[in-house]
Amino acid sequence: MILILHSGIGEDSPAYTELLDYFANKPDISTRIHKVAGAEQTVTEVYLIGHTAGLDQKEVESLEAVERVVRVSEEYRIIGRHRDDTRTSGFEYNGVRFGQDNLHVFAGLCAIDTPAHVEQMMQALQAHGQVCTRMGAYKPRTSPYAFQGHGAECLPWVFELAGKYGIKVIAMEITHDSHLDEINKALEQTGHPTGVMLQIGTRNTQNFELLKIVGRQQTFPVLLKRGFGITLEESLNAAEYLASEGNHRIVFALRGMKTNMGDPHRNFVDFAHVPVVKRLTHLPVCIDPSHSVGSRDHGPDGILDTLHVTAQGIIAGANMVLVDFHPAPTKALVDGPQALTLEELPYFLEDVTIAHEAYQQRKKLVGNFLKK
Ligand code: PEP
Ligand code: MN
């Protein structure tokens, strides 16, 4: 059960004390307080854990601090959609709003290599009106002998370049909690020229200790990638881990599944799950066409498979696209063969717009159909 409190209820108000006292007298119920920062106000939600079936809902509703009671199913208590649930989806971070009803492109380097390449990338993004990017500093690699990313050392100049080119959010994977401290320190040192969305990669979807640490901090939102070899339910539970620790600013990413059914793509493209995740949860949904497809192959129509699946994800309602670009793919230190080029950026963005407009038309069409 979730209690949504009236907006003006402070922690020192008598109504708040009355609420806590009420549950303190119920030994089989524990409470967890969550502050949910919205565009206009911060809402306090109280999660009741334990034997909530035994509670008198009318009595709980009559507590002065309580505006609304939401009965939740056991699964995905916080991230999930529940019956009579009017909680809104999404959040704002560093001036950019992420929701289930809008779309952002995060085009950028899989791995940060040289300052010149990072600068060329960001310059191109700014020239095409983009304020988000992806930049990998910590790379989880299959081989221990492969390039592991420049790590903390590159962060200050990457953040400074992001500030120079008006980038507001960089999606950046971390694989250890020390990376969180390093990102914080580099942002501090450079005067916060940009924002960071922490990416938890597919190999770490069930790294529960990392999830808890990232969930406990409120500074950065999190892009959680679906685990490539586990069920959707298991991956959504990983997102619930983040939320249950207090961080609700989560985007859920589909990035393909490891199965031979998907050959010749690097992964089996799972973008049919975009509407499923939106139906089950309040989370904005990201697609990663680059790591799904993994090549620059194209069909007889000349359209790259990467662009085909991007359009498929967007036309199904995706809210974010994480996509690999590189100014010189042959020189990329990681995932060059799947990278798009800077010359392809305007073409890619226009293709995204076509698919997004088609999705909006489809929404209008179903709206009119359901009104009849
Ligand atoms: C990445 O986005 O660079 C990446 C490694 O993705 P994934 O965790 O989905 O493999
Ligand atoms: Mn990659």
Side-chain angles (χ1 to χ4, degrees):
M1 188 180 270
I2 301 176
L3 312 182
I4 319 280
L5 305 194
H6 288 290
S7 59
I9 302 287
E11 279 174 28
D12 46 4
S13 69
Y16 192 77
T17 311
E18 177 202 37
L19 177 94
L20 293 188
D21 287 349
Y22 179 84
F23 291 106
N25 285 324
K26 308 229 174 268
D28 48 0
I29 303 275
S30 60
T31 53
R32 256 195 205 187
I33 314 289
H34 287 272
K35 304 260 184 223
V36 185
E40 271 142 43
Q41 57 184 28
T42 297
V43 175
T44 304
E45 297 185 350
V46 181
Y47 293 87
L48 303 180
I49 298 149
H51 184 55
T52 52
L55 283 173
D56 179 343
Q57 185 163 337
K58 285 264 168 310
E59 200 172 280
V60 175
E61 275 165 347
S62 72
L63 293 167
E64 196 189 328
V66 175
E67 184 196 296
R68 210 150 34 85
V69 172
V70 180
R71 280 250 178 222
V72 297
S73 45
E74 279 306 303
E75 263 192 343
Y76 321 137
R77 280 164 187 258
I78 304 173
I79 63 164
R81 287 182 179 272
H82 305 284
R83 210 153 41 91
D84 308 324
D85 185 357
T86 54
R87 292 177 306 156
T88 51
S89 298
F91 57 89
E92 190 173 315
Y93 173 65
N94 209 26
V96 183
R97 209 183 71 74
F98 295 88
Q100 281 196 340
D101 54 0
N102 65 0
L103 176 66
H104 296 288
V105 175
F106 281 61
L109 306 185
C110 181
I112 294 158
D113 45 24
T114 67
H117 287 156
V118 171
E119 180 150 19
Q120 280 169 280
M121 183 73 234
M122 290 182 177
Q123 209 163 21
L125 289 168
Q126 187 184 48
H128 294 97
Q130 300 299 302
V131 294
C132 301
T133 188
R134 58 158 295 146
M135 288 284 154
Y138 308 96
K139 298 308 299 179
R141 304 304 302 283
T142 305
S143 163
Y145 309 112
F147 173 63
Q148 306 282 313
H150 285 313
E153 166 262 307
C154 68
L155 299 179
W157 58 262
V158 171
F159 293 160
E160 272 164 5
L161 282 172
K164 180 173 170 190
Y165 292 102
I167 299 293
K168 294 188 175 304
V169 189
I170 304 177
M172 181 174 279
E173 177 165 1
I174 63 163
T175 57
H176 192 271
D177 54 321
S178 59
H179 302 158
L180 184 55
D181 301 334
E182 289 168 1
I183 289 171
N184 257 316
K185 209 168 113 201
L187 282 173
E188 193 88 350
Q189 188 191 326
T190 51
H192 295 270
T194 188
V196 172
M197 182 181 277
L198 301 173
Q199 191 175 319
I200 306 258
T202 195
R203 292 156 191 81
N204 274 315
T205 311
Q206 286 190 312
N207 182 341
F208 298 115
E209 297 314 312
L210 184 62
L211 292 174
K212 284 187 213 166
I213 287 158
V214 169
R216 246 170 254 147
Q217 60 80 41
Q218 304 279 332
T219 313
F220 305 109
V222 187
L223 175 66
L224 177 71
K225 290 222 178 163
R226 171 187 202 159
F228 54 28
I230 57 176
T231 63
L232 181 64
E233 188 185 347
E234 287 164 334
S235 292
L236 291 177
N237 268 303
E240 185 72 19
Y241 258 93
L242 296 167
S244 74
E245 293 292 336
N247 194 343
H248 294 204
R249 298 192 293 176
I250 307 164
V251 178
F252 187 83
L254 299 170
R255 50 83 67 212
M257 304 297 293
K258 240 184 206 311
T259 151
N260 283 27
M261 275 193 300
D263 293 353
H265 289 161
R266 184 173 174 181
N267 288 280
F268 188 66
V269 183
D270 55 350
F271 300 167
H273 285 178
V274 168
V276 178
V277 177
K278 288 172 84 171
R279 174 168 77 236
L280 293 174
T281 77
H282 283 285
L283 307 180
V285 181
C286 174
I287 51 166
D288 178 343
S290 304
H291 290 84
S292 298
V293 168
S295 75
R296 290 183 48 89
D297 290 337
H298 58 78
D301 55 13
I303 301 174
L304 294 171
D305 290 10
T306 302
L307 269 71
H308 267 303
V309 303
T310 301
Q312 287 159 13
I314 292 172
I315 208 165
N319 309 112
M320 175 170 161
V321 183
L322 193 72
V323 54
D324 287 2
F325 272 78
H326 199 283
T330 54
K331 293 192 185 143
L333 297 177
V334 183
D335 285 347
Q338 70 192 23
L340 303 177
T341 64
L342 298 192
E343 293 70 40
E344 286 169 327
L345 181 63
Y347 154 57
F348 177 83
L349 292 172
E350 204 173 322
D351 204 36
V352 162
T353 303
I354 292 172
H356 194 223
E357 281 169 3
Y359 171 64
Q360 281 162 328
Q361 277 178 30
R362 294 177 64 221
K363 258 195 0 183
K364 211 153 101 192
L365 183 69
V366 72
N368 291 339
F369 172 73
L370 292 175
K371 253 191 262 157
K372 278 192 206 146

